[in-house]
Amino acid sequence: GAGVSQSPSNKVTEKGKDVELRCDPISGHTALYWYRQSLGQGLEFLIYFQGNSAPDKSGLPSDRFSAERTGGSVSTLTIQRTQQEDSAVYLCASSEARDSYEQYFGPGTRLTVT
Amino acid sequence: KQEVTQIPAALSVPEGENLVLNCSFTDSAIYNLQWFRQDPGKGLTSLLLIQSSQREQTSGRLNASLDKSSGRSTLYIAASQPGDSATYLCAVRGSSASKIIFGSGTRLSIRP
């Protein structure tokens, strides 16, 4: 079946602009995760959605970052007033919220802030 | 606070060799541990997942072990091939089954 999809695959924006990144999880997966991977670095946890529970936002680096998940499916990560240090690959993953919670990743969105 | 470390950061071996990648974690109260590979410019591909109650998992030429008491996991790759060249990441899920912490990865290069 279809895997996790993300759009756009690449985004170039000017410093100070807002951007929205989209994630479509695997159908039926109630858990959704956002991560950030800066050049040459490991994955940094940003936010975790689990069903109708309040999301775990503990990884968001600043109040310029926010995320929504509508209808328990599609998620949007919004970065306001982008800065150059926001340049990174943003990865989304989904999993079932039971048993192994095995994560399946999307291809990522490469964000470049000029 | 959970910390996940992968050593070495980079490894280069000739084709055909068996090799071991290491992952260590500081808090043994984990739900599971997952190994991924990441090819340049790509997302992550899941390789193996070990639940906290398990000791090892095998898939083809890959074998992952878990020793919770010592805070260690190893990924064993048998008869390495150039196509195994990638960055290998381990990820630890906490006992509350929510937050996942990733190691910084081992960049593996298999020389033909």
Side-chain angles (χ1 to χ4, degrees), chain A residues 56-100:
Chain A
D56 179 350
K57 304 180 181 180
S58 59
L60 295 178
S62 77
D63 58 8
R64 295 186 296 106
F65 287 72
S66 63
E68 290 185 346
R69 190 175 185 196
T70 54
S73 180
V74 172
S75 177
T76 302
L77 177 69
T78 301
I79 309 173
Q80 296 178 311
R81 305 181 302 281
T82 52
Q83 303 293 314
Q84 288 187 329
E85 60 263 30
D86 298 335
S87 296
V89 176
Y90 290 81
L91 290 160
C92 172
S94 71
S95 75
E96 294 183 345
R98 58 183 176 83
D99 299 334
S100 69

Side-chain angles (χ1 to χ4, degrees), chain A residues 33 35 37 41-43 45 48 56 58 91 95 98-103 105-107 110, chain B residues 31-32 34 36 38 41-44 46 49 51 89 91 93 97-100 102-104:
Chain A
Y33 317 75
Y35 298 90
Q37 187 174 36
Q41 302 296 312
L43 269 72
F45 167 81
Y48 164 64
D56 179 350
S58 59
L91 290 160
S95 75
R98 58 183 176 83
D99 299 334
S100 69
Y101 290 81
E102 185 170 4
Q103 293 185 84
F105 277 79
R110 181 175 298 279
Chain B
Y31 187 86
N32 61 31
Q34 194 168 358
F36 297 88
Q38 185 176 31
K42 305 289 187 181
L44 277 67
S46 178
L49 182 146
Q51 297 284 51
L89 296 155
R93 184 183 292 267
S98 59
K99 199 165 186 175
I100 300 100
F102 276 80
S104 54

